[in-house]
Each structure stands twice: as C-alpha cells, then as structure tokens.
Amino acid sequence: MMADLFDHFDEPPRREDIAPGAALLRGFARAEERELLAAIDAVVARAPFRHMMTPGGHTMSVAMTSCGTAGWVTDRRGYRYSPDDPESARPWPEMPAVLRHLAQRAAAAAGFTNFDPDACLINRYVPGAKMALHQDKDERDFDAPIVSVSLGLPAVFQFGGMARGDKPRRYELRHGDVFVWGGPSRLVYHGVLTLKDGEHPLLGRQRINLTFRKAL
Ligand code: MD6
Ligand code: FE
C-alpha cells in the first residue's frame, strides 16, 4: 500500500522534543486528514492560492492563502498581516473550527495551553518549490507559539538557531506531522528545502502546510 511510504500509518503518534519550546508531534493530524482537507478546500474556494511577491521583487515559489481574522501577505511594501485578502478586498474566510481545534490540541500537547490563533497561513508546495531560511517575526507578540501542520508529500524542514548563520538541523515532515514551537525557540531561523517529486495518495503532487499564529 502506498500510504505507508509517506504516512508511516502503522506507527502510533509520538512526540519528539526538538529544542526548548519546540516539539514534533508525529502523526498528530493524521486521523483527521479528510476533515482538514475539506476545510482547506472550502477556504481555497473563497481565497484561492496565489504566488505573492517579496519586498525585493521575487515571486515566491510557494503559493499561499489564509483564513482567520488576519492573513499573512507580502508585496513590494513589505511583509505584514492584513484583515482583508488583497485579491478580493474582502475579509479572509473564517478559520474553520476543525482547523482551530486541531491547532489548540497540538499546542496543548506540546505544553502551550490557551493557544488562541487568529491567523492560519496555508502554503502549497509543488515539486521544486522551497522556502528560504527565515524567522517568523511579523506577529505582534512572540508569547504565543506557532503550530505547523504538514499534509501531502514529505518535505525536509530546516531548523536552525537564533542567527541566520547557525547550522540548521534537518527533519523530514510527513503527512500528518505537527511541529509546535514557541518560548525560547520562537524566533529560530527555519526553512524548507526544495520539494522532491512524488505522488501522495490523497494530495497528489503537492505538500500543504498550515501555520497557525496569534498575529494581532
Ligand atoms: C512550511 N513553515 O513548513 C513552512 N514557520 O512549509 C514555516 O515557515 C514555519 O513550519 C514557523 C513555524 C513553523 C513553520
Ligand atoms: Fe516560518
């Protein structure tokens, strides 16, 4: 069966402590995969994936959209959170309850209680797409963690240090894995290596990543 190549479906969910404030919850989202994908489809129907431009004028290889009371955007003016989708000039779709609840349970499993995300950034990678090392620092305060859910094709995630030059460690993130980080790890540099080609049983040739944040 193809699924076990990607999903390790025969393994129980387990927690790996990565660094102070950072935990990898293997398989945490797997049981809800169909509900999550349906919720993502509903968001994307109203706020389609788009390739945004960095302030430096480069078009991102990762396609993005958002849901929640704030969405992450980038254009020539900079990176920021916006209550409206710039493509439609309307508020972003509401965050579906199944997404919010998953993020809250994952945060709690990693030791962060009362996580109340107001933004969910949805990233779509096709083979060849990547995300350069960066810090997530556009949020108003860094007390809340970030909860990151991986679906579809596996990707190699780089998790570095507080300086761009710190040598990153690498983790393969597979379908259903959830990475939670906050506290002392909140501003760690991280990125995603070029996605390798493959075919996921549910998602085909793509990887979807959700990141839940307290932005405002
Ligand atoms: C991704 N993730 O996994 C990109 N940021 O596609 C991120 O940039 C990220 O996974 C902050 C915290 C967790 C993440
Ligand atoms: Fe990030």
Side-chain angles (χ1 to χ4, degrees):
M1 169 91 183
M2 278 295 285
D4 64 306
L5 287 176
F6 293 110
D7 302 355
H8 295 230
F9 77 102
D10 50 338
E11 298 169 15
R14 57 184 193 280
R15 168 176 162 171
E16 295 173 27
D17 293 313
I18 302 294
L24 178 42
L25 310 173
R26 293 282 185 197
F28 193 87
R30 215 165 45 210
E32 292 163 77
E33 59 188 7
R34 291 185 188 274
E35 294 83 354
L36 297 172
L37 292 173
I40 294 165
D41 283 347
V43 170
V44 170
R46 292 178 49 205
F49 285 115
R50 79 290 306 263
H51 293 271
M52 291 190 282
M53 187 170 280
T54 66
H58 297 285
T59 299
M60 298 185 77
S61 62
V62 177
M64 300 180 171
T65 186
S66 286
C67 59
T69 53
W72 187 82
V73 298
T74 175
D75 58 21
R76 293 308 299 241
R77 288 158 50 212
Y79 305 124
R80 61 196 177 277
Y81 284 93
S82 166
D84 297 320
D85 177 352
E87 293 291 319
S88 66
R90 308 255 308 145
W92 294 101
E94 260 185 63
M95 192 185 304
V98 64
L99 298 187
R100 181 198 320 281
H101 292 155
L102 172 69
Q104 290 174 326
R105 278 185 287 115
F112 297 96
T113 50
N114 302 316
F115 180 48
D116 184 21
D118 55 14
C120 173
L121 173 61
I122 307 176
N123 292 147
R124 185 188 65 194
Y125 297 70
V126 296
K130 63 183 191 312
M131 192 174 294
L133 280 181
H134 65 277
Q135 290 172 297
D136 286 26
K137 56 181 184 190
D138 302 317
E139 298 75 26
R140 185 163 300 167
D141 79 66
F142 302 135
D143 291 341
I146 294 179
V147 172
S148 166
V149 178
S150 293
L151 296 168
L153 288 177
V156 179
F157 190 66
Q158 294 184 294
F159 184 87
M162 299 300 282
R164 188 182 294 277
D166 293 343
K167 185 175 163 56
R169 286 178 285 162
R170 293 179 173 186
Y171 299 90
E172 187 175 58
L173 300 183
R174 304 176 204 114
H175 181 73
D177 288 349
V178 180
F179 206 120
V180 181
W181 71 34
S185 290
R186 179 62 180 73
L187 290 173
V188 161
Y189 276 89
H190 58 281
V192 177
L193 298 185
T194 304
L195 194 77
K196 283 205 273 187
D197 202 359
E199 178 80 21
H200 186 270
L202 274 181
L203 277 147
R205 293 181 75 212
Q206 59 179 337
R207 168 178 185 258
I208 302 280
N209 171 260
L210 311 173
T211 49
F212 296 89
R213 300 110 187 276
K214 180 84 183 148
L216 304 182

